[in-house]
Amino acid sequence: KNEVEQSPQNLTAQEGEFITINCSYSVGISALHWLQQHPGGGIVSLFMLSSGKKKHGRLIATINIQEKHSSLHITASHPRDSAVYICAARFSGTYKYIFGTGTRLKVLA
Amino acid sequence: DGGITQSPKYLFRKEGQNVTLSCEQNLNHDAMYWYRQDPGQGLRLIYYSQIVNDFQKGDIAEGYSVSREKKESFPLTVTSAQKNPTAFYLCASSLDHRHYNYGYTFGSGTRLTVV
C-alpha cells in the first residue's frame, strides 16, 4: 500500500530555532513535494525533489531514496513560518500524489 | 501574474442542494485536479483532467461531478448524493500530469459548509 507518514504532527518552537520535519514513505517514488499551507488554507509548493538536496532561503529539503525518507529543515525560524507543512509523494508507476496529514508548526516570538 | 483562482472562498449549502465550486487557471496547464481536505487527513483526490473534454475519477468521486469544456476551467459540482460534503476543497493544476518533474500549483481553496 502506498503510504506517506509525517512526524511530528505538531511542533512548537522558539524564534531562531532550527526545525526539522520528517516524511517517510512506503515504496519507491518518482517525486516528492513539500508544501506549505497557511491558516487561510491556500497551499504553496516549496520544493519538488527526487534525489539529493534543495535549498531556498532558510528552507532546505533533503531526500534519502534508500531509506525512503525526506526531511524539511527551517533555519533561524520566524513566527511567519507558522503553518502546516505537507509532504506528498508520487509513487513510481502512478500518476497521482499521496499526501501526508501534515505537520502543524507554530513559531513563538 | 499566472495562477489559479478558486471561488467563492466560503460557501454554505442547504442539505439536498447541489453546489458548484469554480476553479480557473491562466497558467496554460493541461492537467487540473480537485482535492478534498478533512481535519486530520491528507488531501484526497476527487477528480482529475488531463486535457479538455476528458476527466477521470479519483479516489473519492462518489457524489461529485466535473466538466472540462475549456482548458482554463474545471468546475466541481457537489451533488446532494455526497453524504458528507462539509470540507475544504482545493483545486490544483500542472503542466502535464504524465511528467512527474512538473510540480503542482494550488488554488487558495473553498470551504464548503452544509447547514
Side-chain angles (χ1 to χ4, degrees):
Chain A
K1 185 180 175 183
N2 295 340
E3 291 182 336
V4 175
E5 291 189 1
Q6 287 186 237
S7 63
Q9 286 188 322
N10 295 283
L11 182 56
T12 300
Q14 293 294 324
E15 183 174 359
E17 285 186 13
F18 180 83
I19 289 164
T20 296
I21 298 170
N22 298 298
C23 175
S24 298
Y25 48 91
S26 53
V27 294
I29 64 168
S30 57
L32 187 135
H33 264 258
W34 280 103
L35 309 164
Q36 181 190 55
Q37 185 172 30
H38 278 281
I43 290 180
V44 174
S45 178
L46 298 175
F47 296 104
M48 185 176 63
L49 65 167
S50 55
S51 64
K53 176 180 173 179
K54 287 191 176 181
K55 184 176 189 292
H56 181 70
R58 295 180 295 106
L59 301 178
I60 304 167
T62 63
I63 189 167
N64 185 316
I65 299 297
Q66 286 74 30
E67 295 187 3
K68 298 185 178 58
H69 181 268
S70 176
S71 293
L72 177 69
H73 305 286
I74 305 175
T75 61
S77 59
H78 190 276
R80 65 174 174 266
D81 297 325
S82 298
V84 176
Y85 292 85
I86 300 170
C87 163
R90 181 166 178 162
F91 290 93
S92 301
T94 69
Y95 63 86
K96 63 179 182 179
Y97 283 89
I98 304 296
F99 293 78
T101 54
T103 294
R104 187 174 299 274
L105 171 66
K106 187 172 183 179
V107 181
L108 304 175
Chain B
D1 286 338
I4 294 183
T5 301
Q6 285 189 244
S7 61
K9 191 170 179 67
Y10 298 96
L11 190 56
F12 295 88
R13 188 197 91 176
K14 291 183 179 179
E15 276 193 52
Q17 287 182 339
N18 292 356
V19 63
T20 297
L21 282 58
S22 170
C23 178
E24 303 277 333
Q25 54 100 357
N26 60 2
L27 300 163
N28 201 33
H29 283 177
D30 283 326
M32 296 186 75
Y33 310 81
W34 273 106
Y35 287 92
R36 172 181 170 136
Q37 187 178 39
D38 294 284
Q41 297 191 43
L43 275 69
R44 293 181 291 167
L45 182 64
I46 304 172
Y47 268 97
Y48 73 103
S49 168
Q50 303 172 43
I51 200 166
V52 176
N53 293 323
D54 179 74
F55 49 83
Q56 308 292 331
K57 292 182 179 179
D59 299 318
I60 56 166
E62 185 175 349
Y64 300 98
S65 66
V66 293
S67 64
R68 187 88 186 276
E69 296 176 3
K70 298 186 300 181
K71 188 174 187 177
E72 301 80 20
S73 179
F74 191 41
L76 174 74
T77 297
V78 184
T79 74
S80 56
Q82 168 49 235
K83 292 185 174 22
N84 186 20
T86 295
F88 187 63
Y89 291 88
L90 280 156
C91 179
S93 71
S94 65
L95 192 60
D96 181 339
H97 91 290
R98 294 171 298 176
H99 294 89
Y100 61 81
N101 281 329
Y102 298 132
Y104 276 22
T105 299
F106 283 90
S108 56
T110 293
R111 189 166 299 279
L112 172 64
T113 303
V114 174
V115 296

